[in-house]
Amino acid sequence: MKFETESTSPVSNPSAEDISDGIHSIDGKNTTFAILSMDDMTYLQTAGSTSEGFVLEYQNGSLDEHYRAESETIETVKIIHVFEAFRNGDVSWFDEFKWNKEDLKTGSGCLSVIAMGTLAVGSLVVLNYLQG
């Protein structure tokens, strides 16, 4: 099991405290997402902020089994609960949400949005450097 945010190094076999601290660090600016993975194709991921709420996505072994929770304003305490349950092998959290299957081939999913934004900002920085 591995836990990571974009502002911290990945933590193998994270503790409940690692997860709680990581989720609480998501401010929507410097830190915008967290991922808890069993392997490259099985993971939970969340994006948002502690002040605005979170989206939650789950992938179960393949791109064809990628789901997004319907709610886009999930509270911090609920996200921590889900991540800790996933870490402990408890799958009961899945029934606590309505899920929509995501088609990752069309670029949906919370991290694809983050990645596109990062690429856009990086392109602007390069363009400004070349022009300036």
Side-chain angles (χ1 to χ4, degrees), residues 82-127:
V82 170
F83 270 61
E84 288 180 359
F86 183 78
R87 176 183 67 103
N88 292 323
D90 177 358
V91 295
S92 63
W93 55 268
F94 190 83
D95 294 330
E96 297 176 28
F97 300 93
K98 288 185 179 183
W99 296 91
N100 295 316
K101 194 168 189 176
E102 295 285 301
D103 182 0
L104 295 185
K105 295 171 189 145
T106 62
S108 63
C110 63
L111 289 187
S112 63
V113 172
I114 293 166
M116 286 185 279
T118 302
L119 287 173
V121 170
S123 297
L124 288 174
V125 169
V126 170
L127 182 60

Side-chain angles (χ1 to χ4, degrees), residues 40-56:
D40 288 343
M41 299 302 282
T42 306
Y43 55 83
L44 283 175
Q45 63 186 15
T46 192
S49 72
T50 53
S51 62
E52 305 273 330
F54 294 93
V55 296
L56 177 64

